[in-house]
Amino acid sequence: MKIIQARDYGDMSRKAANVIAAQVIMKPDCVLGLATGSSPVGTYRQLIEWYEKGDVDFGDVTTVNLDEYRGISAENEQSYAWFMHHNLFDYVNINPERTHLPNGMNPDAGQECARYEELICQVGGVDLQLLGLGHNGHIGFNEPGDVFEKGTHCVDLQESTIEANKRFFASADEVPRQAYTMGIRTIMMARKILVIVSGEDKADIVQKAFFGPVVPRVPASILQMHPDVTVVADAAALSKCGSQK
Ligand code: F6R
């Protein structure tokens, strides 16, 4: 695991965008695994800027997102599909037919999860998976538990996650209670993983996830076992790692 310290959110975003841009330049038809949330917004903004300057070309790129709320449509402003369109896809030359997210409107969870796993296989697997880190150590919507969940599955969101995500909704009551997410195995099969973390509120979990024991109570800790993980974290997020980093 490689840990790169950034000064702040802006610096983290540029460094992460550099890693993604390098991936796209090295393999123009690569498969990018993407995330939503606050962490990647700056990274996507930077990529859009470089696309506008002609430095990155998304024409042959395929994307698969980590997760989507269950029960809300892609047109809903709170959906992750909407987020991706408004934070990246609509501003670069990516082919919309090659952008994929779980379909939150498929009521058949078993069928949707199997479809998404199969799709990831069909596109050739993920070359570079971008991840944010939840305060409880979740990656995607893989919440702390007794086991590492394997493939794409439907999850009941934990109260802490609903609480953290309610900022995007009118109230906590409106936050969906379930989501479809890539599983830990799906994530671990990515050839490269890039984790971005910013802010002092993540300092405890950064220390536990990347320097603590590998346990399903801290889902992100499994990343320590992956052969090619880069963490780009700002100084505040790394502030509890001391000399470990
Ligand atoms: C988003 C996702 C989540 C977030 C995590 C961190 O697609 O799967 O695991 O990456 O909750 O969220 P932020 O970046 O908002 O702190």
Side-chain angles (χ1 to χ4, degrees), residues 129-209:
Q129 176 67 55
L130 178 65
L131 296 176
L133 177 65
H135 289 105
N136 60 5
H138 72 224
I139 46 176
F141 271 129
N142 292 279
E143 302 280 24
D146 297 329
V147 291
F148 289 110
E149 292 283 351
K150 295 182 192 132
T152 300
H153 59 286
C154 181
V155 280
D156 294 328
L157 303 185
Q158 290 196 347
E159 272 315 311
S160 60
T161 302
I162 292 168
E163 194 55 30
N165 288 2
K166 77 171 190 212
R167 65 193 194 273
F168 301 114
F169 293 82
S171 72
D173 289 342
E174 287 182 27
V175 185
R177 267 36 192 177
Q178 288 187 312
Y180 293 130
T181 182
M182 282 186 196
I184 294 293
R185 184 191 61 216
T186 332
I187 293 171
M188 288 293 278
M189 279 172 62
R191 289 182 269 281
K192 286 187 182 108
I193 295 181
L194 171 63
V195 191
I196 48 175
V197 204
S198 167
E200 209 179 336
D201 53 319
K202 299 266 176 87
D204 280 323
I205 196 62
V206 164
Q207 198 282 329
K208 284 198 188 102

